[in-house]
């Protein structure tokens, strides 16, 4: 078994060498992961694609349909965990169809100007409470949260409350943190139930109201499924984008040449964000899948009953899939990164994440063209959370 610490600073700071070491052992390595336990991990692009695309052999639920690891959890944790991302066909297909339809009607691409407005406003306010400013908290976290609140149609006056709950949930580093998390989770669940009730009674704007309409028109979704769907959108839609934004800003602040290339011509932002998605790999692993039958992956045998996770970060750095895979190249094309996963669970929010990534960079570097790091890059720290590559803090100065 591999003894890699997937939450180590070394891995997050410079994933290339650690991942190359894993890949040298084969397309699959067996590892021990916090909470999940023993699990196989893919190390190549092809192996990750195989696991994520073959949703008959690799399923999210055990045979019999139970959700793993939740037996001792309170009811509301079970409820929010039982969402589309932890379901297989046919339930997944049914729920994904409903939310796809609701998303289509909201026309995500039309949100771009509004996302930019939110980003401009937050960039304006970056140093409002003093300098240096902590960019993760003040910008990278706030932007996706504001956007997802707006997309869902949550009232603006509720937003600060809502952001405070979400923040309490992302800071679980102690027992007290867990108590706060559970408390925040329950309050948020109650809040979303209330919003759904209001949307059912009064209709309204936003994705929650749209989901209710699709439900009315015959979409088969239960009340509990609706709540966990909204919860999933919030969770999957905010944290991940936060780390894409903060990770990209760090790369640009470290390299004046790259930054100059991008800021000279913002039509390059789309290409650049694709490469940041690959290089930052905010979501490092897929959810674990159960193996339903004995199967070969790249010449290695997985047995029925075992579990496997696609290591997205390893697929993204695989030299067999990307030229000079270890280099950040903002002009890279084509870019076959796997940051949004693949197969039936391919990220629902991929367009929104791209729009947010582009708007965040352009708004920030246009408002603060001389922005600099307030500390030496060697002092930057990542949160020790396995599976998510998240900067703990990114202190910045407006520059002169
Ligand atoms: C940089 C930002 C993002 C990244 C890196 C990302 C990554 C991913 C990945 C890897 C998966 C598949 C996980 C698996 O198969 O185990 C996924 C699924 C999902 N993502 Fe994203 N995501 C991002 C942004 C968003 C946003 C903005 C939203 C919502 C507005 C969103 C909503 C979802 C949902 C609902 C799923 C589950 C889809 C399904 O089960 O069919 N994501 N995402």
């Amino acid at each position: 078994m591999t003894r890699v610490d997937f939450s180590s600073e070394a891995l997050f700071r410079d994933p290339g060498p650690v991942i190359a070491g894993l890949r040298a052992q084969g397309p699959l390595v067996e590892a021990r992961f916090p909470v999940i336990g023993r699990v196989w991990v893919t190390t190549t692009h092809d192996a990750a694609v195989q696991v994520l695309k073959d949703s008959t052999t690799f399923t999210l639920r055990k045979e019999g349909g139970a959700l793993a690891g939740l037996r001792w959890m309170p009811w509301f944790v079970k409820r929010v965990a039982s969402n589309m991302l932890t379901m297989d066909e046919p339930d997944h297909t049914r729920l994904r169809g409903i939310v796809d339809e609701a998303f289509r009607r909201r026309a995500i691409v039309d949100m771009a100007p509004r996302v930019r407005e939110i980003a401009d406003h937050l960039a304006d306010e970056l140093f409002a409470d003093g300098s240096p400013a902590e960019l993760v908290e003040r910008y990278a976290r706030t932007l996706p949260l504001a956007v997802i609140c707006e997309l869902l149609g949550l009232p603006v006056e509720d937003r600060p409350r809502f952001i405070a709950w979400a923040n309490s949930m992302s800071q679980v580093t102690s027992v007290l943190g867990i108590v706060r998390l559970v408390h925040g989770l329950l309050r948020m669940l109650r809040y979303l139930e209330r919003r759904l009730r209001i949307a059912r009674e009064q209709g309204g704007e936003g994705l929650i109201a749209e989901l209710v309409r699709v439900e009315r028109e015959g979409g088969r979704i239960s009340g509990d499924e609706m709540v966990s769907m909204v919860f999933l959108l919030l969770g999957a839609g905010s944290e991940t984008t936060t780390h894409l934004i903060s990770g990209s800003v760090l790369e640009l602040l470290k390299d004046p040449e790259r930054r100059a290339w991008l800021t000279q011509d913002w039509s390059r932002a789309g290409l650049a964000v694709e490469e940041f998605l690959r290089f930052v790999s905010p979501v490092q692993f897929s959810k674990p899948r159960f193996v339903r039958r004995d199967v070969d992956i790249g010449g290695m045998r997985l047995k029925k009953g075992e579990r496997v996770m696609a290591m997205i970060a390893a697929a993204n750095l695989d030299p067999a899939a990307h030229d000079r895979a270890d280099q950040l190249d903002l002009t890279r094309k084509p870019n076959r990164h796997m940051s949004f996963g693949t197969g039936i669970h391919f990220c629902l929010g991929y367009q929104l994440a791209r729009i947010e990534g582009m708007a965040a960079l352009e708004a920030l570097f246009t408002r603060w063209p001389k922005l600099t790091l307030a500390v030496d890059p060697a002092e930057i720290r990542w949160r020790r959370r396995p599976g998510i590559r998240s900067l703990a803090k990114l202190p910045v100065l407006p520059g002169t």
Side-chain angles (χ1 to χ4, degrees), residues 52 60 83-87 92 96 99 103 108 144 148 151 207 229 232-245 277 281-283 285-289 312 338-350 352-354 356:
L52 296 181
L60 281 144
N83 59 44
M84 192 168 68
L85 184 50
T86 59
M87 283 182 188
H92 173 265
R96 176 87 191 215
V99 74
F103 252 71
I108 297 301
I148 197 82
L151 177 72
L207 201 67
M229 171 81 83
L232 170 66
L233 289 173
L234 269 170
S238 52
E239 270 255 34
T240 46
T241 316
T242 298
H243 311 318
L244 170 67
I245 295 171
L277 276 160
S281 286
V283 177
F285 292 86
S286 74
K287 289 241 177 278
R289 266 65 170 174
I312 291 171
M338 295 265 298
S339 286
F340 293 126
T342 185
I344 63 168
H345 292 280
F346 181 79
C347 179
L348 178 77
Y350 74 101
L352 191 58
R354 285 177 173 146
E356 288 183 53

Side-chain angles (χ1 to χ4, degrees), residues 213-273:
R213 259 170 240 134
V214 179
E215 179 190 29
R216 286 245 165 83
E217 293 162 15
R220 287 174 303 121
I221 179 165
S222 72
D224 282 0
E225 284 174 336
M226 188 77 107
V227 176
S228 52
M229 171 81 83
V230 177
F231 217 93
L232 170 66
L233 289 173
L234 269 170
S238 52
E239 270 255 34
T240 46
T241 316
T242 298
H243 311 318
L244 170 67
I245 295 171
S246 54
S248 316
V249 172
L250 173 61
E251 292 303 333
L252 289 171
L253 291 179
K254 280 195 316 196
D255 188 331
E257 234 170 78
R258 230 174 236 135
R259 168 179 175 169
W261 178 83
L262 181 59
T263 52
Q264 257 161 34
D265 178 358
W266 282 106
S267 72
R268 297 165 172 169
L271 214 53
V273 164

